[in-house]
Amino acid sequence: MIDRDLPEMPCRELVELITDYLEDLLSPAQRTRFEAHLAECEACNAYLEQFRQTIRVLGRLPEESLSSEARDVLLAAFRGWSRR
Amino acid sequence: MREGDERVFGELVARWSGMMLRLALSHVGSRPLAEDIVQDAWLTVLRSLDRFERRSSFRTWVLGIVVNVARSRARAERRSIVPFSASNEPVVDPSRFLAADHPRWPHHWAVEPVSWRTPEDDLLAGETRKVILDAIDVLPPAQREVLVLRDFEGLTGTEVCNILRVSDTHQRVLLHRARSRVRNALERYFTATETM
């Protein structure tokens, strides 16, 4: 049940707290207000989903890697170092 | 590693250099300079191995060295580095919300976000991928650094705090701002294209 003593969390406040929410770092009162607002606000649900999609896509971006020439230089440096 | 095992070193270089390169790139725009930084960092690792005190994981220590090398190289090359800013920028343009004195919905969305119609897999392709990469490129360096380490490399908040030597709250604030900016960039793109 929503605690009716807690002030409603407006959209402007919710968008600042999403990362904390996703890491489960909101206080119990904040989390109650956050979820109560989500239950009633389609726009914030859309925003939250966009935010989650953004995070997921960031995790799936393809990788850069060090060129093989650069790696060879490092291995040569290592050999020089280990011979000391 | 301390016994001079070349194979182990080679494996670490292969496994971590990509991540180190991306971390270096988040400091300097130039790829050749970033490669240089990674080289320097590995050489520093070799030179400093005796001083590794095991207070953190080896990876955290190595990435911390990359950050130090990147920062001094960036300064030396006179690349402007924005110091870690604790600005209070809102993550969404305030004009998107109704005013505080609105009679019914103070601080609620004035212009509501709508679900993106592009399937998530397509977000990685072509135009949208470029939108994302460009958005990352123009992030303040501190935000870019955290975003790369957390969301791209998948490191934990704790590890990122140790690498960058910032508080947990600070890295989370930077992360949230960075993610918000990337989302904003995608939204601007979709608003421009999906309504056509």
Side-chain angles (χ1 to χ4, degrees):
Chain A
M1 271 315 287
I2 297 167
D3 181 341
R4 302 214 178 269
D5 291 333
L6 291 175
E8 195 224 337
M9 178 179 286
C11 314
R12 193 197 297 254
E13 186 183 345
L14 184 139
V15 300
E16 300 289 336
L17 296 174
I18 292 182
T19 292
D20 289 347
Y21 173 69
L22 293 175
E23 299 198 10
D24 205 20
L25 288 168
L26 294 181
S27 71
Q30 274 182 319
R31 184 161 151 200
T32 301
R33 293 172 63 223
F34 190 101
E35 290 178 340
H37 179 77
L38 273 186
E40 297 173 342
C41 183
E42 199 179 306
C44 280
N45 275 281
Y47 184 89
L48 178 59
E49 185 50 31
Q50 290 170 358
F51 204 87
R52 283 181 157 138
Q53 283 178 311
T54 302
I55 296 171
R56 285 198 294 265
V57 168
L58 286 167
R60 292 174 58 192
L61 286 171
E63 304 214 339
E64 298 251 20
S65 49
L66 206 58
S67 67
S68 54
E69 296 84 13
R71 267 189 235 165
D72 291 342
V73 167
L74 279 175
L75 288 175
F78 181 84
R79 278 176 222 126
W81 169 83
S82 64
R83 256 185 254 124
R84 288 173 309 151
Chain B
M1 190 78 185
R2 289 170 199 262
E3 279 82 52
D5 187 338
E6 183 176 325
R7 189 180 53 81
V8 171
F9 180 66
E11 275 177 22
L12 281 179
V13 169
R15 218 183 326 144
W16 290 353
S17 289
M19 177 165 33
M20 293 162 72
L21 185 64
R22 287 183 288 279
L23 182 53
L25 273 169
S26 73
H27 276 278
V28 299
S30 136
R31 175 146 182 158
L33 183 52
E35 291 223 6
D36 240 27
I37 288 168
V38 173
Q39 302 277 66
D40 278 353
W42 277 122
L43 296 173
T44 304
V45 164
L46 289 177
R47 275 200 308 272
S48 316
L49 265 182
D50 294 340
R51 275 179 268 142
F52 174 52
E53 288 167 22
R54 298 180 197 276
R55 265 190 266 120
S56 64
S57 78
F58 189 58
R59 180 173 71 175
T60 300
W61 184 68
V62 169
L63 293 178
I65 287 174
V66 174
V67 168
N68 288 337
V69 171
R71 285 177 188 166
S72 17
R73 285 301 296 273
R75 267 197 304 273
E77 308 272 331
R78 297 181 197 285
R79 309 265 166 169
S80 65
I81 285 279
V82 177
F84 280 160
S85 69
S87 73
N88 286 322
E89 69 190 56
V91 295
V92 176
D93 186 343
S95 68
R96 290 291 297 273
F97 299 104
L98 300 169
D101 58 2
H102 189 275
R104 289 193 67 203
W105 307 116
H107 299 306
H108 284 241
W109 291 100
V111 180
E112 294 192 344
V114 291
S115 296
W116 294 331
R117 277 183 266 136
T118 304
E120 194 170 303
D121 284 350
D122 293 355
L123 289 178
L124 285 163
E127 272 294 311
T128 41
R129 183 162 134 196
K130 187 173 187 308
V131 168
I132 294 168
L133 293 175
D134 287 349
I136 295 172
D137 270 350
V138 300
L139 287 174
Q143 290 182 19
R144 182 163 63 239
E145 215 169 36
V146 176
L147 186 75
V148 164
L149 289 173
R150 290 292 315 265
D151 285 345
F152 187 44
E153 304 292 353
L155 303 185
T156 65
T158 306
E159 181 159 20
V160 170
C161 289
N162 290 330
I163 293 165
L164 299 178
R165 289 183 223 175
V166 295
S167 71
D168 188 53
T169 307
H170 196 168
Q171 67 81 32
R172 216 164 342 105
V173 167
L174 291 168
L175 177 63
H176 185 62
R177 298 217 167 113
R179 286 169 167 176
S180 301
R181 285 188 186 217
V182 176
R183 188 221 67 98
N184 290 345
L186 280 169
E187 184 184 54
R188 279 194 297 274
Y189 172 75
F190 287 130
T191 306
T193 59
E194 277 183 356
T195 51
M196 287 197 278

